[in-house]
Amino acid sequence: MTTILVTGGTGFIGSHTTVALQQAGYHVLILDNLSNSSVQVLDAIATITGTRPEFIQGDIRDAALLDSLFAAQPVSAVLHFAGLKAVGESVAMPLAYYDNNVHGSVQLLQAMQRAQVRTLVFSSSATVYGDPQALPLTEDHPRSATNPYGHTKLVVEDILENLHASEAGWRIARLRYFNPVGAHPSGLIGEAPQGVPNNLMPYVAQVATGQRERVQVFGNDYNTPDGTGVRDYIHVTDLADGHVHALQYCLQARQDLLTVNLGTGVGYSVLDMIRAFEQASGKTIAYDIVGRRTGDIAACWADTELAYEKLGWRARKTIQDMCDDAWRWESK
Ligand code: NAD
Ligand code: UD1
């Protein structure tokens, strides 16, 4: 069996991708320091797939650990999810973000280089497009960052480009995710933010369960159909499937640097998502319109053609699927 190292594999996107990898026949080895996830995820994955992934609790910044891990068994590729991802926190704690996301990625890449493992799929973000100059966003749209988190993604994207240019044999996919939401349809794994959720959908889900009273809708004066922010929400299992396609693309290539959007190509507003969640949950979601959130953009959605052309992959699930599955997970 082909072994894939999944850093951050007990996290939200990593756990769903681990399920998809196992179902596609790969052996998964997870490395996660559990800073934002729980070891119980492994049991849930085992229940879904029938196989418990191999797990090492540890940090991507631990070079000795990485060397021993690569020495212990042949790893064919690395899917690199591990990192910190909260925009507001990154403004408050920039050094923690550069340390985890940039220094951590460099440590991982150096260990891969030592072990001669040169196949990598990296979690980038649509945040690298900054404020869109045109929609849909194509991969050649100029990049910019308005906060330290976004900047770490820009820097790692550049490091990967430099590395690819410097040494033959690297096969790298930089995947720019739009807004991942939803949960596995089993309701066994999903998104479990610590504290007050920063992102819209986990917040809406917690209002539906009664854990929080009202959603604050950040602005209804944007230049969008109903004035609220528009985003390209993608079901996390579609995203996971996109990773399997990207991995297979890399494993087949002689060498390549692929950069693709993973989105649906369709934008929905905050109010669209609240209504869809009301339908999924049968609950009324109370909300207030408040001022815009600093740093937010009006609208953002992906051009999905390159992902289809290169990977033969398209997202398939609807916002109703996303809300139904998120509700099943949240209400459990
Ligand atoms: P997550 O926090 O659920 O998962 C990240 C995992 O990495 C966690 O399990 C955490 O414990 C682990 N981790 C963090 N730092 C680590 C370290 N130094 N060593 C080992 N493990 C470490 O986040 P997610 O939503 O699954 O995101 C995964 C990746 O996708 C991140 O790189 C994130 O920036 C990127 N991304 C996420 C989104 C999103 O909306 N969720 C959007 C775009 C990009
Ligand atoms: C945010 C991050 C982005 C990151 C992404 C996924 C910011 C500025 N951007 O994107 O870098 O890649 O999460 O982790 O934080 N909204 C409300 N009320 C809420 C929460 C959100 O109205 O309580 C609105 C927002 O204004 C936006 C939409 O809902 O229009 C989606 O917000 P969110 O889920 O936070 O994602 P992004 O802002 O797109």
Side-chain angles (χ1 to χ4, degrees):
M1 262 176 130
T2 307
T3 297
I4 309 299
L5 172 64
V6 179
T7 74
T10 45
F12 174 45
I13 305 170
S15 60
H16 290 83
T17 303
T18 295
V19 167
L21 289 169
Q22 291 187 333
Q23 288 175 338
Y26 294 99
H27 172 239
V28 176
L29 167 59
I30 291 175
L31 173 67
D32 199 300
N33 66 4
L34 301 179
S35 60
N36 196 37
S37 55
S38 146
V39 77
Q40 286 149 8
V41 168
L42 301 170
D43 296 331
I45 294 172
T47 305
I48 295 169
T49 65
T51 308
R52 195 182 164 87
E54 209 180 320
F55 175 67
I56 296 175
Q57 182 175 350
D59 200 292
I60 54 166
R61 292 162 295 183
D62 183 341
L65 174 69
L66 289 170
D67 285 343
S68 68
L69 179 159
F70 284 118
Q73 62 179 306
V75 170
S76 298
V78 178
L79 266 59
H80 177 32
F81 297 95
L84 304 178
K85 62 164 183 178
V87 171
E89 187 183 63
S90 80
V91 175
M93 303 164 53
L95 296 180
Y97 274 70
Y98 288 106
D99 187 34
N100 255 278
N101 295 6
V102 179
H103 171 65
S105 295
V106 171
Q107 290 290 319
L108 175 67
L109 292 166
Q110 286 176 328
M112 289 174 68
Q113 199 170 43
R114 287 192 293 275
Q116 298 189 23
V117 177
R118 296 197 194 89
T119 307
L120 177 85
V121 177
F122 172 64
S123 302
S124 188
S125 167
T127 195
V128 300
Y129 294 122
D131 199 350
Q133 295 169 9
L135 291 168
L137 283 157
T138 50
E139 286 80 355
D140 58 2
H141 183 282
R143 299 176 318 150
S144 64
T146 52
N147 57 70
Y149 166 71
H151 203 222
T152 66
K153 293 295 176 191
L154 280 186
V155 172
V156 177
E157 281 202 353
D158 289 345
I159 290 171
L160 293 174
E161 190 171 332
N162 297 158
L163 178 63
H164 182 264
S166 73
E167 190 184 7
W170 281 92
R171 306 180 291 189
I172 297 172
R174 304 183 295 186
L175 305 182
R176 293 177 178 160
Y177 312 157
F178 280 67
N179 287 58
V181 297
H184 192 268
S186 64
L188 293 171
I189 52 173
E191 190 170 11
Q194 293 172 354
V196 182
N198 298 304
N199 296 118
L200 177 68
M201 291 313 283
Y203 202 103
V204 168
Q206 293 191 6
V207 173
T209 59
Q211 289 171 80
R212 304 202 183 269
E213 276 187 14
R214 308 171 76 79
V215 181
Q216 295 194 312
V217 175
F218 296 141
N220 67 348
D221 56 352
Y222 285 108
N223 183 18
T224 61
D226 65 18
T228 66
V230 167
R231 296 290 184 275
D232 185 338
Y233 297 94
I234 175 169
H235 197 297
V236 64
T237 60
D238 274 337
L239 192 66
D241 186 45
H243 284 77
V244 176
H245 280 74
L247 172 67
Q248 286 165 347
Y249 175 94
C250 286
L251 289 174
Q252 283 159 16
R254 281 190 57 210
Q255 59 178 72
D256 203 356
L257 176 66
L258 175 72
T259 308
V260 289
N261 291 335
L262 296 185
T264 66
V266 183
Y268 287 99
S269 75
V270 175
L271 297 181
D272 290 333
M273 297 310 283
I274 289 177
R275 276 190 291 269
F277 212 92
E278 286 186 325
Q279 204 162 354
S281 62
K283 309 277 183 190
T284 301
I285 312 284
Y287 67 85
D288 297 313
I289 307 285
V290 301
R292 294 180 178 193
R293 179 171 66 179
T294 310
D296 269 357
I297 55 173
C300 154
W301 63 88
D303 186 303
T304 60
E305 285 314 305
L306 189 65
Y308 186 63
E309 182 193 314
K310 294 284 187 182
L311 306 178
W313 169 90
R314 274 196 205 289
R316 290 194 297 258
K317 295 196 170 174
T318 63
I319 57 164
Q320 211 54 57
D321 297 327
M322 302 174 205
C323 293
D324 288 348
D325 292 337
W327 174 242
R328 194 172 302 108
W329 156 251
E330 195 69 32
S331 51
K332 273 195 177 182

